[in-house]
Amino acid sequence: MPRLFAGALVALAALPLTGAPPAVSPDYTITVDSSARGAAISDSMYGVFFEDINWAADGGLYAELVRNRSFEFSPTDNSSYNGLTGWTVAGTASAVDDDARLNERNRTYLNMNGAVTSSPFATKAGDFYDFSVWARADNAAHLTVTLGNARRTLNVRSGKWVKYSGTLHATTTTDEAALKVESDGPVKLDMVSLFPRKTFKNHGLRTDLATKIAALNPGFVRFPGGCLVNTGSMYGYDAASGYPRARSYQWKDTVGPVETRATNANFWGYNQTYGLGYYEYFQFAEDIGAASLPVVPALVTGCGQNRATDDPALLQRHIQDTLDLIEFANGPVTSTWGKLRARMGHPKPFGLSMIAVGNEENLPDAYFANYLKFRDAIKAAYPRITVIGNSGPDDQGATFDRLWQLNRDAKSDMVDEHYYNSPSWFLQNNARYNGYDRAGPKVFLGEYASQDAKFANSLAEAAYMTGLERNADVVKMASYAPLLANIDHVQWRPDLIWFDADESWGTTSYQTQKLFMNNVGDRVVPSSVTGAVVQPKPIAGRVGLSTWATAARYDDVKVTGTDGTVLFSDDFTDGDANGWTSLTNRGAWAVQDGAYVQSDTAATNTMVAAATDITATDYDITLKATKTAGAEGFLIPFGIKGSDNWYWWNLGGWNNTQGAVEKASGSADAKEQILTRPDSVVTGQTYNLTIQVRGTKVTLIRDGEVWGGFDDNKVTEPFAQVITQDGHDLIVKVVNAQDKPALTKVDLDGIKVAATGRMTVLAGDPGEQNTRSAEPIQPVTSTVRGLGSTFTREFPANSISFLRLRRTA
């Protein structure tokens, strides 16, 4: 794919930088403390998190080209699916589930007399493709397999299932190729497969995607989830359990011969074949030189499901499965599961050293009781394995605090934190880990991202990553998430690497992660920075009303100054909603019986706002709210500056299980949670709600009782830095996330370095993105001169700069 560069960016990054200090005072000063010894940085500081979301596995990293190859697709996976999804039929064909099946776990096969043609995929002229199929026929039949101009004929013997295979040679380069299988009589088919001969290290993974991941040089690979681990049934895919289709990811479903592996309804709305399973995951991690980090179910669901499975025997089975997983990874070939690993092609142990129990559980006490049982069993059998707990789905709140306290009390090895927040959050929380207990559990930041795919998001992430490195004694591992996304099948944004049928490209955050991951260093060099920050502003703006999959009535909306002055009021007794405007064009709003009513229970974010702009810094908002139907509770926006810039008080959110205050600053889809707590509302009950605003401080009152509060008073730090030592080199890492250059003095406190160094810069418009057609944000490396123990540099506006210095003493 052609790479397009922004000429202005190249010109900016290539400007010669002189070492002579300017006459003007610097904007920022970075000062090293050479007398202090910084924290060692783990070899696994940065890694990747792979989950089958956005078609990341099937249709992505897993190189299988045939969709629904085993005819297992079902409406359970997606309401639009059936056993022939992904195929077109000529003649007669049907997906059948009966006793003639291939095996008990591969339950559906194709009964055909005619031809079936697969959905399109990409081929390259001159490449070879390996075809295989399992087939049986009551009477001998012939199969003709066609790929473009390539054709093979197979003689199907009668009576039993037999695997047939062959090679097809593509003669055209196209992303509209298809595999056609035609019979001259009745035949049963299963596992119709086509793989490119060329895969990453010949291990069945799509080469361009695996190569891009390998180029990150990750220290670890976390796998398989994510919500895949802690959603659905925790029972097995067997007759006793009724073959549940929507299950948590259970590793034994994913190993052994591929035709015996179970199918599953992927949480993200499609089918999951498990062709890419635990063996392939361990193999891939080994192939790219990364440690493996499996995540196993804790029998407490999350991701909006929030229930605990109370079955002691099942819990014990999952604990034993986890012990068996470690044996599969590390056991000798004489052990039960080590023998299976060897039979699959890897006699040598994989060297698993860590494992995580659970993912984002929102029932802290139920989760932690199970976690302790897993941990105790793992430590008893494998004392050197690091066992990782978690802190729930948010960066703060009641669940977060409770789980951290439980992990501290239990002296957990490590705690997995997850959060997706706005760029402003990352720029305001650079010092998040400065205050963490150095003697407590270490932090694994298992999932994080700024909620969009623009370079502004990458700048904010990079600034935050300098704080991760400065706190490398606490933060031992971190992985951006998600990793992969098929641009035609997206369930979550942002993502690190995007792809289609035959191309792939790295986002601006991919380039950022790659720069950090390939320039980590061995140890932190203690340093500090002085310079301008952006002070917080009082919360002011319009007041609003909204709902999410809920019908509700609102009445007596009033905004009052602290001196009693009424700044806005509407009790809707005039029968109209004049002065209220929709910010989202969603929902069915109307004044009914003296109240403002939203009656559409399917609509999400139906925000309307009053016309009056509240410019006061101290005021109270009062109103009455009644839920009349639907899944959730109330959304009360305030401080509205526009459709993508506001706060809202969310009561009874997340299917009426949790409350929060959320903040949008630049994107309505990129909300950060300022506070969270368990919460629900009762249908038909009228609530008296008050929001007290005092500058940046807010108190929330429901029916006369304080519900919660917060102070959004953090400064924004658009300039961030960290210095690390990498062998004999120092790496000065500077992020300037503002629209003006930053003239910066660097004082190395007497450390002697060569006069010439190497600088790599990512810079550009903060609104820019890397896309399929153009990737303007690319690293530019140049030689810089005039360096020394003290020097001054101008770091470009909206840039990430890594300056590598060679120590001379």
Side-chain angles (χ1 to χ4, degrees):
M1 183 173 72
R3 299 291 191 258
L4 304 181
F5 295 86
L9 168 59
V10 174
L12 173 64
L15 286 175
L17 300 174
T18 64
V24 296
S25 298
D27 301 305
Y28 297 92
T29 298
I30 299 171
T31 304
V32 166
D33 181 359
S34 61
S35 65
R37 183 173 175 81
I41 303 176
S42 168
D43 291 339
S44 58
M45 179 68 187
Y46 295 120
V48 294
F49 164 45
F50 179 85
E51 179 176 15
D52 192 356
I53 183 175
N54 310 311
W55 289 33
D58 294 310
L61 184 61
Y62 185 48
E64 172 66 74
L65 296 175
V66 177
R67 186 175 181 225
N68 192 16
R69 65 183 178 186
S70 194
F71 311 102
E72 298 284 343
F73 280 28
S74 162
T76 305
D77 311 328
N78 185 295
S79 60
S80 67
Y81 286 3
N82 59 58
L84 284 170
T85 295
W87 297 92
T88 56
V89 176
T92 61
S94 59
V96 180
D97 178 358
D98 64 18
D99 290 343
R101 65 179 65 90
L102 181 59
N103 58 65
E104 284 304 302
R105 290 166 68 78
N106 192 336
R107 301 188 61 76
T108 306
Y109 63 90
L110 184 73
N111 214 352
M112 181 185 79
N113 188 356
V116 290
T117 303
S118 73
S119 56
F121 50 79
T123 58
K124 184 177 180 181
D127 281 0
F128 290 92
Y129 295 83
D130 293 328
F131 165 82
S132 64
V133 62
W134 285 80
R136 64 182 287 186
D138 294 332
N139 299 296
H142 298 90
L143 286 181
T144 301
V145 182
T146 306
L147 175 66
N149 295 324
R151 176 174 297 187
R152 290 186 66 91
T153 300
L154 306 172
N155 298 319
V156 179
R157 298 184 293 274
S158 62
K160 63 179 182 179
W161 287 101
V162 176
K163 183 178 181 180
Y164 301 88
S165 60
T167 300
L168 298 169
H169 186 211
T171 57
T172 58
T173 296
T174 177
D175 56 8
E176 292 296 325
L179 185 72
K180 182 178 181 181
V181 183
E182 187 173 9
S183 70
D184 61 0
V187 66
K188 296 175 174 62
L189 303 180
D190 209 339
M191 297 297 292
V192 182
S193 174
L194 190 71
F195 267 85
R197 177 72 56 82
K198 298 176 182 177
T199 61
F200 185 73
K201 297 187 181 293
N202 298 316
H203 287 146
L205 302 184
R206 181 170 151 174
T207 301
D208 63 326
L209 295 179
T211 299
K212 280 186 170 60
I213 298 169
L216 291 168
N217 192 28
F220 64 89
V221 182
R222 177 176 178 250
F223 177 94
C227 290
L228 301 190
V229 168
N230 69 333
T231 54
S233 171
M234 298 293 168
Y235 290 88
Y237 192 64
D238 51 42
S241 304
Y243 296 101
R245 285 295 293 253
R247 306 181 315 284
S248 62
Y249 196 110
Q250 301 174 42
W251 79 271
K252 289 181 180 178
D253 285 345
T254 77
V255 295
V258 69
E259 67 273 9
T260 67
R261 301 183 189 182
T263 190
N264 203 5
N266 184 294
F267 173 79
W268 298 107
Y270 52 96
N271 178 271
Q272 191 166 15
T273 70
Y274 289 145
L276 177 57
Y278 258 82
Y279 177 84
E280 291 78 16
Y281 152 61
F282 283 133
Q283 182 69 75
F284 178 56
E286 181 180 87
D287 284 344
I288 63 176
S292 298
L293 175 50
V295 186
V296 298
L299 272 69
V300 177
T301 60
C303 302
Q305 296 183 356
N306 300 338
R307 65 177 183 272
T309 301
D310 184 12
D311 186 334
L314 182 65
L315 175 61
Q316 188 55 46
R317 192 268 281 175
H318 275 268
I319 292 172
Q320 185 59 51
D321 281 354
T322 301
L323 298 177
D324 293 344
L325 172 61
I326 299 170
E327 182 181 291
F328 176 76
N330 294 351
V333 296
T334 54
S335 66
T336 299
W337 295 102
K339 183 184 297 184
L340 175 60
R341 182 194 68 241
R343 197 160 60 239
M344 293 182 71
H346 201 286
K348 182 181 177 181
F350 282 114
L352 178 67
S353 63
M354 52 189 169
I355 197 162
V357 178
N359 170 77
E360 296 188 7
E361 283 73 22
N362 220 352
L363 301 174
D365 292 279
Y367 159 72
F368 208 76
N370 287 358
Y371 161 78
L372 289 176
K373 293 175 182 177
F374 276 87
R375 187 188 70 168
D376 291 348
I378 295 168
K379 290 292 188 180
Y382 302 100
R384 294 186 179 181
I385 294 286
T386 297
V387 183
I388 302 172
N390 73 70
S391 60
D394 305 311
D395 61 87
Q396 51 71 47
T399 296
F400 178 89
D401 292 341
R402 177 62 175 160
L403 279 170
W404 254 109
Q405 186 60 54
L406 290 168
N407 276 285
R408 277 192 294 269
D409 293 345
K411 296 181 170 52
S412 293
D413 294 331
M414 194 175 293
V415 178
D416 185 6
E417 293 190 355
H418 295 179
Y419 38 82
Y420 298 90
N421 286 317
S422 67
S424 63
W425 185 93
F426 285 97
L427 294 176
Q428 291 172 352
N429 285 274
N430 185 274
R432 174 182 175 90
Y433 295 107
N434 290 10
Y436 272 51
D437 182 1
R438 271 38 208 173
K442 303 306 179 184
V443 172
F444 168 36
L445 180 49
E447 297 183 31
Y448 73 99
S450 173
Q451 293 166 320
D452 207 341
K454 298 181 176 64
F455 189 47
N457 301 91
S458 307
L459 288 164
E461 292 157 3
Y464 191 74
M465 291 169 77
T466 67
L468 301 183
E469 292 190 8
R470 281 199 313 278
N471 289 281
D473 57 328
V474 170
V475 182
K476 291 299 182 182
M477 301 192 301
S479 49
Y480 179 104
L483 177 60
L484 296 175
N486 184 321
I487 196 167
D488 299 315
H489 304 280
V490 179
Q491 290 85 42
W492 185 275
R493 298 173 187 267
D495 306 282
L496 206 61
I497 299 169
W498 292 81
F499 63 92
D500 58 17
D502 60 346
E503 294 180 305
S504 57
W505 56 98
T507 63
T508 63
S509 290
Y510 173 82
Q511 295 299 340
T512 299
Q513 292 288 327
K514 186 177 178 182
L515 186 59
F516 272 86
M517 290 168 124
N518 284 277
N519 295 277
V520 180
D522 312 312
R523 185 173 293 277
V524 178
V525 177
S527 62
S528 59
V529 63
T530 57
V533 297
V534 179
Q535 296 296 328
K537 295 180 179 179
I539 297 171
R542 299 157 73 188
V543 63
L545 304 168
S546 191
T547 58
W548 194 288
T550 302
R553 295 169 52 88
Y554 295 105
D555 201 358
D556 296 338
V557 182
K558 182 182 291 188
V559 183
T560 309
T562 54
D563 62 355
T565 302
V566 176
L567 305 177
F568 170 80
S569 178
D570 197 340
D571 60 9
F572 307 105
T573 55
D574 56 5
D576 63 49
N578 292 341
W580 292 85
T581 57
S582 174
L583 298 186
T584 62
N585 294 317
R586 300 175 189 168
W589 289 94
V591 176
Q592 299 175 6
D593 301 324
Y596 204 12
V597 176
Q598 199 294 110
S599 57
D600 186 348
T601 58
T604 59
N605 189 8
T606 63
M607 189 184 301
V608 294
T612 303
D613 186 21
I614 307 302
T615 58
T617 59
D618 299 338
Y619 55 92
D620 295 342
I621 304 168
T622 58
L623 70 152
K624 294 178 179 178
T626 309
K627 173 183 174 179
T628 58
E632 303 205 350
F634 314 118
L635 297 170
I636 314 300
F638 59 99
I640 300 173
K641 299 293 188 182
S643 61
D644 57 2
N645 195 324
W646 38 260
Y647 300 78
W648 70 25
W649 184 9
N650 185 345
L651 297 103
W654 292 270
N655 291 315
N656 207 20
T657 63
Q658 183 170 298
V661 172
E662 298 176 278
K663 176 183 178 182
S665 51
S667 170
D669 296 324
K671 302 181 292 292
E672 66 185 73
Q673 294 177 10
I674 295 179
L675 70 84
T676 61
R677 52 163 287 182
D679 186 73
S680 62
V681 301
V682 177
T683 301
Q685 179 175 330
T686 298
Y687 294 86
N688 293 293
L689 306 179
T690 301
I691 303 173
Q692 294 181 343
V693 180
R694 301 294 184 269
T696 60
K697 188 174 182 179
V698 174
T699 303
L700 307 159
I701 301 170
R702 182 169 70 181
D703 290 337
E705 296 185 0
V706 174
W707 183 92
F710 66 93
D711 194 347
D712 193 11
N713 64 346
K714 290 185 177 179
V715 300
T716 299
E717 300 179 68
F719 184 95
Q721 64 82 36
V722 68
I723 301 175
T724 63
Q725 180 175 310
D726 185 20
H728 290 290
D729 290 353
L730 296 183
I731 311 174
V732 180
K733 308 173 187 182
V734 173
V735 181
N736 182 26
Q738 53 191 335
D739 292 333
K740 60 181 181 180
L743 188 64
T744 305
K745 177 182 177 181
V746 180
D747 183 352
L748 299 179
D749 193 24
I751 298 175
K752 295 181 179 180
V753 297
T756 300
R758 190 172 80 252
M759 187 158 74
T760 301
V761 178
L762 289 171
D765 186 327
E768 193 65 84
Q769 299 185 62
N770 285 351
T771 68
R772 176 164 35 194
S773 59
E775 298 181 62
I777 304 300
Q778 295 285 332
V780 176
T781 300
S782 60
T783 299
V784 296
R785 297 175 174 81
L787 306 173
S789 295
T790 302
F791 59 92
T792 300
R793 301 242 69 78
E794 184 176 85
F795 294 101
N798 299 307
S799 67
I800 305 165
S801 302
F802 277 35
L803 177 58
R804 187 174 281 267
L805 313 173
R806 188 70 175 174
R807 294 187 67 157
T808 58

